[in-house]
Amino acid sequence: MPVHPFLRTIQTTLFDTRPALLTNSFFNKSQLKPRIQMLINPQTDRQALWRYALVLPVATLLLMCSQKDPLEQATPAGSRIAANDAVQYKTPLSGEIFTTVEQNPIPQGGIAVLGDYMQNNLHYPEAAQKANVGGKVFVSFVVMADGHITDVQVLKGIGFGCDAEAVRVVRTMPNWVPGRQNGRAVNVKFNLPILFALQ
């Protein structure tokens, strides 16, 4: 007796022991050949070319905006450079600059003389007095091998004119006794906190 095609389908479905595939055949198609063709023949559409053409002027504009001001580049060495009240005085340095040495540089006459110098020469800025601002300004400078002070910079300031005043006082300090390394005088970077306190 011939088996109806519908029953044959049910029989093969119920009694077939082969694992059923959960994917369609189009997922098994290899992507290798199209990828190789894309590598060999890269095709760029016109919209992508226009996007690249627009990026070039924008990049040029950003580069021009990031350039230094010509007036700033023409500033002579040792002159004042101020940005956000963090004052710096740049002077050309020569020779190696040490941060730690066997003998640290000290002011002529010692720390007590430095305290007297600060007390007599440090002026509290009027803007800081009006704003009731006080605190420490941390100044960095280099004591050169001959004792003179250069490269004065504000590491951490409090603003209101205190940073500029701290730099002014450090720049006008008398020469220090230079630091020594291996028995010879060397250039040493030195950090100094300067206190501005309202009385």
Side-chain angles (χ1 to χ4, degrees), residues 105-136:
I106 57 169
Q108 296 281 353
I111 298 296
V113 172
L114 178 62
D116 292 340
Y117 171 81
M118 288 292 180
Q119 190 173 11
N120 296 330
N121 293 288
L122 189 67
H123 303 295
Y124 215 104
E126 189 176 327
Q129 288 178 3
K130 287 180 181 176
N132 199 23
V133 171
K136 287 184 181 177

PDB file of all heavy atoms in Angstrom, residues 105-136:
ATOM      1  N   PRO A 105      71.301  75.269  48.059  1.00  0.00           N
ATOM      2  CA  PRO A 105      71.600  76.704  48.081  1.00  0.00           C
ATOM      3  C   PRO A 105      70.902  77.363  49.270  1.00  0.00           C
ATOM      4  O   PRO A 105      69.823  76.923  49.682  1.00  0.00           O
ATOM      5  CB  PRO A 105      71.019  77.211  46.750  1.00  0.00           C
ATOM      6  CG  PRO A 105      70.049  76.177  46.316  1.00  0.00           C
ATOM      7  CD  PRO A 105      70.476  74.888  46.919  1.00  0.00           C
ATOM      8  N   ILE A 106      71.533  78.392  49.826  1.00  0.00           N
ATOM      9  CA  ILE A 106      70.945  79.120  50.952  1.00  0.00           C
ATOM     10  C   ILE A 106      71.097  80.618  50.710  1.00  0.00           C
ATOM     11  O   ILE A 106      72.011  81.053  50.015  1.00  0.00           O
ATOM     12  CB  ILE A 106      71.588  78.723  52.310  1.00  0.00           C
ATOM     13  CG1 ILE A 106      73.107  78.949  52.257  1.00  0.00           C
ATOM     14  CG2 ILE A 106      71.275  77.305  52.682  1.00  0.00           C
ATOM     15  CD1 ILE A 106      73.777  78.833  53.617  1.00  0.00           C
ATOM     16  N   PRO A 107      70.197  81.418  51.282  1.00  0.00           N
ATOM     17  CA  PRO A 107      70.346  82.865  51.121  1.00  0.00           C
ATOM     18  C   PRO A 107      71.602  83.364  51.830  1.00  0.00           C
ATOM     19  O   PRO A 107      72.060  82.765  52.800  1.00  0.00           O
ATOM     20  CB  PRO A 107      69.089  83.426  51.791  1.00  0.00           C
ATOM     21  CG  PRO A 107      68.170  82.269  51.972  1.00  0.00           C
ATOM     22  CD  PRO A 107      69.002  81.044  52.012  1.00  0.00           C
ATOM     23  N   GLN A 108      72.165  84.461  51.338  1.00  0.00           N
ATOM     24  CA  GLN A 108      73.317  85.083  52.009  1.00  0.00           C
ATOM     25  C   GLN A 108      72.880  85.469  53.424  1.00  0.00           C
ATOM     26  O   GLN A 108      71.904  86.169  53.597  1.00  0.00           O
ATOM     27  CB  GLN A 108      73.759  86.342  51.258  1.00  0.00           C
ATOM     28  CG  GLN A 108      74.281  86.099  49.865  1.00  0.00           C
ATOM     29  CD  GLN A 108      75.714  85.591  49.852  1.00  0.00           C
ATOM     30  OE1 GLN A 108      76.392  85.536  50.873  1.00  0.00           O
ATOM     31  NE2 GLN A 108      76.180  85.217  48.675  1.00  0.00           N
ATOM     32  N   GLY A 109      73.562  84.997  54.428  1.00  0.00           N
ATOM     33  CA  GLY A 109      73.226  85.311  55.814  1.00  0.00           C
ATOM     34  C   GLY A 109      72.270  84.321  56.441  1.00  0.00           C
ATOM     35  O   GLY A 109      71.960  84.433  57.628  1.00  0.00           O
ATOM     36  N   GLY A 110      71.734  83.374  55.681  1.00  0.00           N
ATOM     37  CA  GLY A 110      70.884  82.335  56.243  1.00  0.00           C
ATOM     38  C   GLY A 110      69.397  82.634  56.127  1.00  0.00           C
ATOM     39  O   GLY A 110      68.969  83.654  55.592  1.00  0.00           O
ATOM     40  N   ILE A 111      68.609  81.728  56.666  1.00  0.00           N
ATOM     41  CA  ILE A 111      67.150  81.796  56.572  1.00  0.00           C
ATOM     42  C   ILE A 111      66.606  83.002  57.333  1.00  0.00           C
ATOM     43  O   ILE A 111      65.622  83.615  56.914  1.00  0.00           O
ATOM     44  CB  ILE A 111      66.525  80.486  57.112  1.00  0.00           C
ATOM     45  CG1 ILE A 111      66.983  79.288  56.262  1.00  0.00           C
ATOM     46  CG2 ILE A 111      65.019  80.565  57.115  1.00  0.00           C
ATOM     47  CD1 ILE A 111      66.530  79.316  54.825  1.00  0.00           C
ATOM     48  N   ALA A 112      67.234  83.369  58.445  1.00  0.00           N
ATOM     49  CA  ALA A 112      66.748  84.514  59.232  1.00  0.00           C
ATOM     50  C   ALA A 112      66.818  85.800  58.402  1.00  0.00           C
ATOM     51  O   ALA A 112      65.907  86.627  58.431  1.00  0.00           O
ATOM     52  CB  ALA A 112      67.562  84.663  60.509  1.00  0.00           C
ATOM     53  N   VAL A 113      67.908  85.965  57.632  1.00  0.00           N
ATOM     54  CA  VAL A 113      68.049  87.142  56.781  1.00  0.00           C
ATOM     55  C   VAL A 113      66.989  87.118  55.677  1.00  0.00           C
ATOM     56  O   VAL A 113      66.422  88.162  55.315  1.00  0.00           O
ATOM     57  CB  VAL A 113      69.474  87.206  56.186  1.00  0.00           C
ATOM     58  CG1 VAL A 113      69.602  88.302  55.157  1.00  0.00           C
ATOM     59  CG2 VAL A 113      70.496  87.396  57.298  1.00  0.00           C
ATOM     60  N   LEU A 114      66.666  85.932  55.146  1.00  0.00           N
ATOM     61  CA  LEU A 114      65.618  85.811  54.134  1.00  0.00           C
ATOM     62  C   LEU A 114      64.263  86.230  54.706  1.00  0.00           C
ATOM     63  O   LEU A 114      63.501  86.934  54.054  1.00  0.00           O
ATOM     64  CB  LEU A 114      65.548  84.373  53.599  1.00  0.00           C
ATOM     65  CG  LEU A 114      64.452  84.083  52.567  1.00  0.00           C
ATOM     66  CD1 LEU A 114      64.655  84.915  51.309  1.00  0.00           C
ATOM     67  CD2 LEU A 114      64.387  82.607  52.241  1.00  0.00           C
ATOM     68  N   GLY A 115      63.995  85.823  55.952  1.00  0.00           N
ATOM     69  CA  GLY A 115      62.745  86.227  56.607  1.00  0.00           C
ATOM     70  C   GLY A 115      62.653  87.733  56.766  1.00  0.00           C
ATOM     71  O   GLY A 115      61.597  88.331  56.509  1.00  0.00           O
ATOM     72  N   ASP A 116      63.757  88.374  57.173  1.00  0.00           N
ATOM     73  CA  ASP A 116      63.771  89.836  57.300  1.00  0.00           C
ATOM     74  C   ASP A 116      63.573  90.506  55.932  1.00  0.00           C
ATOM     75  O   ASP A 116      62.841  91.495  55.819  1.00  0.00           O
ATOM     76  CB  ASP A 116      65.102  90.306  57.906  1.00  0.00           C
ATOM     77  CG  ASP A 116      65.244  89.880  59.358  1.00  0.00           C
ATOM     78  OD1 ASP A 116      64.204  89.577  59.989  1.00  0.00           O
ATOM     79  OD2 ASP A 116      66.392  89.835  59.845  1.00  0.00           O
ATOM     80  N   TYR A 117      64.211  89.958  54.911  1.00  0.00           N
ATOM     81  CA  TYR A 117      64.082  90.514  53.564  1.00  0.00           C
ATOM     82  C   TYR A 117      62.621  90.455  53.104  1.00  0.00           C
ATOM     83  O   TYR A 117      62.082  91.440  52.570  1.00  0.00           O
ATOM     84  CB  TYR A 117      64.987  89.760  52.589  1.00  0.00           C
ATOM     85  CG  TYR A 117      64.746  90.130  51.148  1.00  0.00           C
ATOM     86  CD1 TYR A 117      65.306  91.275  50.609  1.00  0.00           C
ATOM     87  CD2 TYR A 117      63.933  89.340  50.336  1.00  0.00           C
ATOM     88  CE1 TYR A 117      65.072  91.627  49.285  1.00  0.00           C
ATOM     89  CE2 TYR A 117      63.695  89.682  49.020  1.00  0.00           C
ATOM     90  CZ  TYR A 117      64.263  90.827  48.503  1.00  0.00           C
ATOM     91  OH  TYR A 117      64.023  91.174  47.201  1.00  0.00           O
ATOM     92  N   MET A 118      61.976  89.307  53.316  1.00  0.00           N
ATOM     93  CA  MET A 118      60.578  89.157  52.907  1.00  0.00           C
ATOM     94  C   MET A 118      59.684  90.132  53.673  1.00  0.00           C
ATOM     95  O   MET A 118      58.798  90.759  53.101  1.00  0.00           O
ATOM     96  CB  MET A 118      60.096  87.719  53.137  1.00  0.00           C
ATOM     97  CG  MET A 118      60.680  86.725  52.180  1.00  0.00           C
ATOM     98  SD  MET A 118      60.080  86.984  50.497  1.00  0.00           S
ATOM     99  CE  MET A 118      60.923  85.699  49.644  1.00  0.00           C
ATOM    100  N   GLN A 119      59.924  90.263  54.954  1.00  0.00           N
ATOM    101  CA  GLN A 119      59.097  91.147  55.781  1.00  0.00           C
ATOM    102  C   GLN A 119      59.232  92.606  55.341  1.00  0.00           C
ATOM    103  O   GLN A 119      58.256  93.351  55.343  1.00  0.00           O
ATOM    104  CB  GLN A 119      59.493  90.998  57.249  1.00  0.00           C
ATOM    105  CG  GLN A 119      58.546  91.685  58.203  1.00  0.00           C
ATOM    106  CD  GLN A 119      58.887  91.354  59.648  1.00  0.00           C
ATOM    107  OE1 GLN A 119      59.937  90.772  59.951  1.00  0.00           O
ATOM    108  NE2 GLN A 119      58.004  91.714  60.552  1.00  0.00           N
ATOM    109  N   ASN A 120      60.421  93.015  54.943  1.00  0.00           N
ATOM    110  CA  ASN A 120      60.655  94.403  54.558  1.00  0.00           C
ATOM    111  C   ASN A 120      60.263  94.711  53.112  1.00  0.00           C
ATOM    112  O   ASN A 120      59.976  95.868  52.791  1.00  0.00           O
ATOM    113  CB  ASN A 120      62.129  94.775  54.763  1.00  0.00           C
ATOM    114  CG  ASN A 120      62.529  94.721  56.232  1.00  0.00           C
ATOM    115  OD1 ASN A 120      61.709  94.947  57.113  1.00  0.00           O
ATOM    116  ND2 ASN A 120      63.790  94.399  56.480  1.00  0.00           N
ATOM    117  N   ASN A 121      60.256  93.716  52.230  1.00  0.00           N
ATOM    118  CA  ASN A 121      60.064  93.979  50.803  1.00  0.00           C
ATOM    119  C   ASN A 121      58.757  93.462  50.215  1.00  0.00           C
ATOM    120  O   ASN A 121      58.385  93.873  49.115  1.00  0.00           O
ATOM    121  CB  ASN A 121      61.230  93.369  50.001  1.00  0.00           C
ATOM    122  CG  ASN A 121      62.533  94.079  50.307  1.00  0.00           C
ATOM    123  OD1 ASN A 121      62.741  95.205  49.899  1.00  0.00           O
ATOM    124  ND2 ASN A 121      63.412  93.413  51.047  1.00  0.00           N
ATOM    125  N   LEU A 122      58.085  92.558  50.907  1.00  0.00           N
ATOM    126  CA  LEU A 122      56.840  91.988  50.383  1.00  0.00           C
ATOM    127  C   LEU A 122      55.683  92.927  50.670  1.00  0.00           C
ATOM    128  O   LEU A 122      55.429  93.281  51.820  1.00  0.00           O
ATOM    129  CB  LEU A 122      56.588  90.609  51.008  1.00  0.00           C
ATOM    130  CG  LEU A 122      55.461  89.786  50.414  1.00  0.00           C
ATOM    131  CD1 LEU A 122      55.791  89.358  48.989  1.00  0.00           C
ATOM    132  CD2 LEU A 122      55.201  88.547  51.267  1.00  0.00           C
ATOM    133  N   HIS A 123      54.992  93.366  49.636  1.00  0.00           N
ATOM    134  CA  HIS A 123      53.847  94.269  49.781  1.00  0.00           C
ATOM    135  C   HIS A 123      52.564  93.495  49.509  1.00  0.00           C
ATOM    136  O   HIS A 123      52.464  92.806  48.495  1.00  0.00           O
ATOM    137  CB  HIS A 123      53.960  95.444  48.807  1.00  0.00           C
ATOM    138  CG  HIS A 123      55.227  96.216  48.965  1.00  0.00           C
ATOM    139  ND1 HIS A 123      55.539  96.935  50.101  1.00  0.00           N
ATOM    140  CD2 HIS A 123      56.287  96.368  48.137  1.00  0.00           C
ATOM    141  CE1 HIS A 123      56.722  97.507  49.960  1.00  0.00           C
ATOM    142  NE2 HIS A 123      57.203  97.168  48.767  1.00  0.00           N
ATOM    143  N   TYR A 124      51.608  93.626  50.393  1.00  0.00           N
ATOM    144  CA  TYR A 124      50.325  92.946  50.221  1.00  0.00           C
ATOM    145  C   TYR A 124      49.546  93.673  49.131  1.00  0.00           C
ATOM    146  O   TYR A 124      49.268  94.854  49.255  1.00  0.00           O
ATOM    147  CB  TYR A 124      49.537  92.966  51.531  1.00  0.00           C
ATOM    148  CG  TYR A 124      48.725  91.725  51.755  1.00  0.00           C
ATOM    149  CD1 TYR A 124      49.129  90.757  52.656  1.00  0.00           C
ATOM    150  CD2 TYR A 124      47.539  91.522  51.053  1.00  0.00           C
ATOM    151  CE1 TYR A 124      48.381  89.623  52.860  1.00  0.00           C
ATOM    152  CE2 TYR A 124      46.785  90.388  51.258  1.00  0.00           C
ATOM    153  CZ  TYR A 124      47.209  89.433  52.155  1.00  0.00           C
ATOM    154  OH  TYR A 124      46.471  88.298  52.356  1.00  0.00           O
ATOM    155  N   PRO A 125      49.164  93.009  48.054  1.00  0.00           N
ATOM    156  CA  PRO A 125      48.449  93.682  46.963  1.00  0.00           C
ATOM    157  C   PRO A 125      47.098  94.234  47.427  1.00  0.00           C
ATOM    158  O   PRO A 125      46.410  93.623  48.250  1.00  0.00           O
ATOM    159  CB  PRO A 125      48.249  92.575  45.920  1.00  0.00           C
ATOM    160  CG  PRO A 125      49.257  91.540  46.256  1.00  0.00           C
ATOM    161  CD  PRO A 125      49.468  91.612  47.725  1.00  0.00           C
ATOM    162  N   GLU A 126      46.744  95.386  46.908  1.00  0.00           N
ATOM    163  CA  GLU A 126      45.505  96.046  47.310  1.00  0.00           C
ATOM    164  C   GLU A 126      44.282  95.212  46.941  1.00  0.00           C
ATOM    165  O   GLU A 126      43.315  95.126  47.709  1.00  0.00           O
ATOM    166  CB  GLU A 126      45.426  97.418  46.633  1.00  0.00           C
ATOM    167  CG  GLU A 126      44.290  98.277  47.144  1.00  0.00           C
ATOM    168  CD  GLU A 126      44.306  99.657  46.516  1.00  0.00           C
ATOM    169  OE1 GLU A 126      45.400 100.171  46.220  1.00  0.00           O
ATOM    170  OE2 GLU A 126      43.207 100.195  46.323  1.00  0.00           O
ATOM    171  N   ALA A 127      44.325  94.556  45.775  1.00  0.00           N
ATOM    172  CA  ALA A 127      43.197  93.716  45.346  1.00  0.00           C
ATOM    173  C   ALA A 127      42.985  92.556  46.304  1.00  0.00           C
ATOM    174  O   ALA A 127      41.846  92.197  46.626  1.00  0.00           O
ATOM    175  CB  ALA A 127      43.440  93.189  43.934  1.00  0.00           C
ATOM    176  N   ALA A 128      44.084  91.974  46.807  1.00  0.00           N
ATOM    177  CA  ALA A 128      43.971  90.863  47.758  1.00  0.00           C
ATOM    178  C   ALA A 128      43.442  91.350  49.099  1.00  0.00           C
ATOM    179  O   ALA A 128      42.681  90.650  49.768  1.00  0.00           O
ATOM    180  CB  ALA A 128      45.325  90.180  47.930  1.00  0.00           C
ATOM    181  N   GLN A 129      43.836  92.554  49.508  1.00  0.00           N
ATOM    182  CA  GLN A 129      43.327  93.115  50.764  1.00  0.00           C
ATOM    183  C   GLN A 129      41.829  93.354  50.674  1.00  0.00           C
ATOM    184  O   GLN A 129      41.084  93.008  51.587  1.00  0.00           O
ATOM    185  CB  GLN A 129      44.041  94.427  51.095  1.00  0.00           C
ATOM    186  CG  GLN A 129      45.473  94.254  51.537  1.00  0.00           C
ATOM    187  CD  GLN A 129      46.159  95.592  51.812  1.00  0.00           C
ATOM    188  OE1 GLN A 129      45.543  96.644  51.732  1.00  0.00           O
ATOM    189  NE2 GLN A 129      47.441  95.528  52.129  1.00  0.00           N
ATOM    190  N   LYS A 130      41.367  93.933  49.547  1.00  0.00           N
ATOM    191  CA  LYS A 130      39.940  94.211  49.385  1.00  0.00           C
ATOM    192  C   LYS A 130      39.117  92.924  49.356  1.00  0.00           C
ATOM    193  O   LYS A 130      38.006  92.882  49.871  1.00  0.00           O
ATOM    194  CB  LYS A 130      39.702  95.007  48.101  1.00  0.00           C
ATOM    195  CG  LYS A 130      40.142  96.450  48.191  1.00  0.00           C
ATOM    196  CD  LYS A 130      39.875  97.184  46.890  1.00  0.00           C
ATOM    197  CE  LYS A 130      40.345  98.621  46.977  1.00  0.00           C
ATOM    198  NZ  LYS A 130      40.173  99.335  45.695  1.00  0.00           N
ATOM    199  N   ALA A 131      39.661  91.889  48.735  1.00  0.00           N
ATOM    200  CA  ALA A 131      38.944  90.612  48.628  1.00  0.00           C
ATOM    201  C   ALA A 131      39.161  89.715  49.838  1.00  0.00           C
ATOM    202  O   ALA A 131      38.617  88.618  49.900  1.00  0.00           O
ATOM    203  CB  ALA A 131      39.377  89.877  47.367  1.00  0.00           C
ATOM    204  N   ASN A 132      39.983  90.190  50.805  1.00  0.00           N
ATOM    205  CA  ASN A 132      40.287  89.425  52.013  1.00  0.00           C
ATOM    206  C   ASN A 132      40.882  88.046  51.657  1.00  0.00           C
ATOM    207  O   ASN A 132      40.489  87.023  52.200  1.00  0.00           O
ATOM    208  CB  ASN A 132      39.036  89.275  52.881  1.00  0.00           C
ATOM    209  CG  ASN A 132      39.387  88.909  54.311  1.00  0.00           C
ATOM    210  OD1 ASN A 132      40.493  89.156  54.774  1.00  0.00           O
ATOM    211  ND2 ASN A 132      38.444  88.305  55.017  1.00  0.00           N
ATOM    212  N   VAL A 133      41.822  88.069  50.715  1.00  0.00           N
ATOM    213  CA  VAL A 133      42.458  86.836  50.240  1.00  0.00           C
ATOM    214  C   VAL A 133      43.819  86.686  50.903  1.00  0.00           C
ATOM    215  O   VAL A 133      44.583  87.644  50.998  1.00  0.00           O
ATOM    216  CB  VAL A 133      42.617  86.865  48.704  1.00  0.00           C
ATOM    217  CG1 VAL A 133      43.472  85.714  48.215  1.00  0.00           C
ATOM    218  CG2 VAL A 133      41.263  86.828  48.040  1.00  0.00           C
ATOM    219  N   GLY A 134      44.122  85.500  51.348  1.00  0.00           N
ATOM    220  CA  GLY A 134      45.421  85.187  51.934  1.00  0.00           C
ATOM    221  C   GLY A 134      45.785  83.747  51.634  1.00  0.00           C
ATOM    222  O   GLY A 134      44.962  82.969  51.161  1.00  0.00           O
ATOM    223  N   GLY A 135      46.995  83.393  51.916  1.00  0.00           N
ATOM    224  CA  GLY A 135      47.448  82.023  51.691  1.00  0.00           C
ATOM    225  C   GLY A 135      48.888  81.991  51.245  1.00  0.00           C
ATOM    226  O   GLY A 135      49.607  82.984  51.324  1.00  0.00           O
ATOM    227  N   LYS A 136      49.313  80.815  50.770  1.00  0.00           N
ATOM    228  CA  LYS A 136      50.701  80.622  50.344  1.00  0.00           C
ATOM    229  C   LYS A 136      50.785  80.606  48.822  1.00  0.00           C
ATOM    230  O   LYS A 136      49.982  79.955  48.155  1.00  0.00           O
ATOM    231  CB  LYS A 136      51.263  79.316  50.886  1.00  0.00           C
ATOM    232  CG  LYS A 136      51.562  79.345  52.370  1.00  0.00           C
ATOM    233  CD  LYS A 136      52.193  78.049  52.817  1.00  0.00           C
ATOM    234  CE  LYS A 136      52.467  78.087  54.322  1.00  0.00           C
ATOM    235  NZ  LYS A 136      53.008  76.804  54.787  1.00  0.00           N
TER     236      LYS A 136
END
